Amino acid sequence: MSVDRHELHTRRLDAVRAWTAFVEQGDRAERFVRPEILHSWVRSGAVLTPDVTEAPLADESDTAAYWAGSPLQRAVEQVEDELRRTADDGDLVLAVTDPETRILWTYGGRVMRHKAESVNFVAGGKWDESSVGTNALALALHTGAPSMVFSAEHYAPIVHNWVCWAAPVHNPATGEQLGVIDLSTTWDRSHPIGLATARMMARLIESAMAQVVPRQSSTLVVPGARTSSECGLDLRLLGSADVRLDGERLLLNRRQTEILALLTLHPEGLNLDQLHALLYGDQSISPSTLKAEVSHLRHAVGGQLASRPYRLTLPVQTDVETVVCCLRQGRVREAVAAYGGDLLPGTDSPGLGEYADYLAVAVREALLGDPVPAAVARYTELAPYDTEVVEACLARLGESPHPLKPLLRGRLAAASR
């Protein structure tokens, strides 16, 4: 699901034109840019000029004292290896902030480290809108939702060469928003799954926090209140389809489920043309048909589907996200256990078909690299003719005894007939 360079250059040029229109003509930029970006530009422009050269720095000792021993620090420490691997693999700079968008912790890949330091994207750097203008960290805190800011969508030109994805981090015991995690790199390295990766990193930190920060026994439980596991949208998309809202199953047609899946894979939002292309491809389906499907879907999810662009505005969790997160952490067995099969089998949506191929290849490559016998046995139920994975597992086992060896040999023989 990579984005070709021509598309990225065009997108960057559009962002520069929109920013220029805003700086020179104010709200006449409305039709060129996403509403949340324009609103942030307006807030930023009320308190700041675009010629800011770097983020202001908070007191170093105060920042260090706030971070030391905090729930965020303890959770990040638990998953720091995974965060660092993500940064190194993608040549990203990662940052974790407090609720005021002050950076508390960063780690940078080779290319981005120097760029980050040059604009004070470092511990103590203040990245709220009043300090540096529109950016993904401030936007995610303002909206309470994962946010992306690409190139000249940033208010300050000092980061027009960046693309940033940020997601809020919450205390799992109280729901309190503690800050955000941000992933940043150069605009030409933008990737469709960047925002999903930021969201997964946020959940990784939240999961670690649940282990290191005990729940308060005095927490008030309101009778009839929804638990976090029941709150929001839960999509099972692998092998079959099941959609639940606040624990209750939604009865949707296939197209509506596909629209939900696409919006989940693109949490930054899709405009009408983008959604139409990803859903229908070259089929001659009118935009009004798509609008009608979206209208029915919006009603089904209680109105929590924004337009301009189309974007879900409620918490979402999917089995796809679970698989990708496990793969990124090297937890092959858990990834295969969560991988129930192809993404919406039989879909004719080109956007979903491409992602389905990406995910299937990612699972297979992970198994070839680490052919865990239990995971391979599970995988062969879904892909019985993939002999290469079974052969890799048997080769890894060698002559050593293993209870799954007879099963794997039997499946290898059956697939070879």
Side-chain angles (χ1 to χ4, degrees):
M1 291 190 69
S2 60
V3 178
D4 64 52
R5 292 189 64 83
H6 175 72
E7 181 181 343
L8 283 176
H9 276 281
T10 300
R11 185 176 175 186
R12 173 173 165 79
L13 184 58
D14 289 343
V16 170
R17 286 171 175 163
W19 181 85
T20 303
F22 175 79
V23 172
E24 295 180 352
Q25 303 170 2
D27 59 7
R28 292 189 64 181
E30 181 176 1
R31 62 192 179 94
F32 301 116
V33 71
R34 289 182 284 148
E36 60 266 36
I37 297 296
L38 180 60
H39 295 159
S40 179
W41 283 353
V42 171
R43 292 192 300 269
S44 302
V47 296
L48 189 72
T49 58
D51 56 1
V52 58
T53 59
E54 61 186 13
L57 289 171
D59 180 80
E60 182 178 354
S61 60
D62 182 61
T63 301
Y66 184 97
W67 175 243
S70 67
L72 269 175
Q73 189 271 335
R74 294 163 64 191
V76 167
E77 187 177 65
Q78 292 293 314
V79 297
E80 189 166 345
D81 288 345
E82 170 63 17
L83 297 177
R84 287 173 178 262
R85 278 197 301 271
T86 300
D88 290 335
D89 291 347
D91 207 354
L92 304 159
V93 59
L94 270 61
V96 174
T97 78
D98 69 5
E100 305 301 321
T101 334
R102 172 182 55 171
I103 294 178
L104 301 171
W105 175 91
T106 62
Y107 177 80
R110 179 180 55 84
V111 172
M112 286 301 296
R113 188 180 305 118
H114 175 71
K115 297 178 186 296
E117 291 171 352
S118 69
V119 294
N120 283 343
F121 197 83
V122 296
K126 298 170 68 175
W127 283 79
D128 54 288
E129 286 179 343
S130 62
S131 296
V132 288
T134 304
N135 65 85
L137 303 84
L139 201 57
L141 276 171
H142 181 81
T143 64
S147 298
M148 177 191 71
V149 177
F150 175 80
S151 183
E153 290 181 339
H154 291 91
Y155 181 73
I158 56 168
V159 279
H160 277 190
N161 284 330
W162 291 30
V163 59
C164 305
W165 304 276
V169 178
H170 299 87
N171 184 322
T174 65
E176 176 189 6
Q177 188 165 296
L178 301 177
V180 301
I181 181 167
D182 175 87
L183 289 65
S184 298
T185 188
T186 52
W187 66 268
D188 56 330
R189 297 175 65 87
S190 185
H191 196 282
I193 65 170
L195 200 56
T197 302
R199 187 171 59 196
M200 283 185 278
M201 293 295 99
R203 293 205 175 157
L204 184 67
I205 293 172
E206 290 170 350
S207 296
M209 197 179 305
Q211 300 174 23
V212 300
V213 180
R215 292 182 178 270
Q216 299 296 320
S217 59
S218 59
T219 299
L220 177 64
V221 177
V222 180
R226 294 179 292 197
T227 66
S228 59
S229 62
E230 296 173 332
C231 184
L233 200 61
D234 186 12
L235 280 71
R236 308 292 96 182
L237 302 171
L238 299 174
S240 60
D242 183 75
V243 181
R244 296 178 185 270
L245 178 63
D246 299 338
E248 297 293 328
R249 187 174 186 182
L250 294 182
L251 299 178
L252 305 176
N253 66 33
R254 184 168 187 83
R255 281 304 189 199
Q256 291 162 0
T257 302
E258 289 172 337
I259 292 169
L260 273 184
L262 287 168
L263 293 177
T264 300
L265 296 176
H266 296 270
E268 73 280 11
L270 295 166
N271 63 34
L272 180 64
D273 290 341
Q274 291 170 328
L275 183 56
H276 191 282
L278 291 170
L279 185 63
Y280 299 118
D282 295 330
Q283 297 180 61
S284 56
I285 307 295
S286 70
S288 60
T289 298
L290 175 55
K291 289 180 179 179
E293 293 284 17
V294 171
S295 179
H296 288 301
L297 186 57
R298 181 179 291 112
H299 177 74
V301 298
Q304 299 188 82
L305 198 169
S307 57
R308 301 183 61 192
Y310 293 127
R311 179 171 58 86
L312 294 169
T313 58
L314 72 170
V316 181
Q317 58 183 358
T318 73
D319 49 358
V320 175
E321 183 177 317
T322 300
V323 172
V324 173
C325 188
C326 289
L327 289 176
R328 285 188 174 276
Q329 297 174 37
R331 294 158 50 202
V332 177
R333 185 169 181 171
E334 292 93 329
V336 175
Y339 184 69
D342 289 338
L343 173 63
L344 289 181
T347 181
D348 60 359
S349 157
L352 293 175
E354 186 178 359
Y355 199 93
D357 292 342
Y358 158 80
L359 193 61
V361 170
V363 170
R364 185 176 188 273
E365 291 297 319
L367 278 171
L368 288 173
D370 185 13
V372 181
V376 172
R378 162 67 175 159
Y379 176 75
T380 55
E381 296 175 3
L382 304 171
Y385 299 106
D386 194 342
T387 58
E388 187 178 357
V389 171
V390 181
E391 289 168 348
C393 182
L394 291 173
R396 170 78 67 87
L397 291 173
E399 298 302 318
S400 61
H402 194 282
L404 288 176
K405 257 189 174 181
L407 173 66
L408 293 174
R409 285 173 173 159
R411 290 183 176 171
L412 181 60
S416 302
R417 289 179 190 146

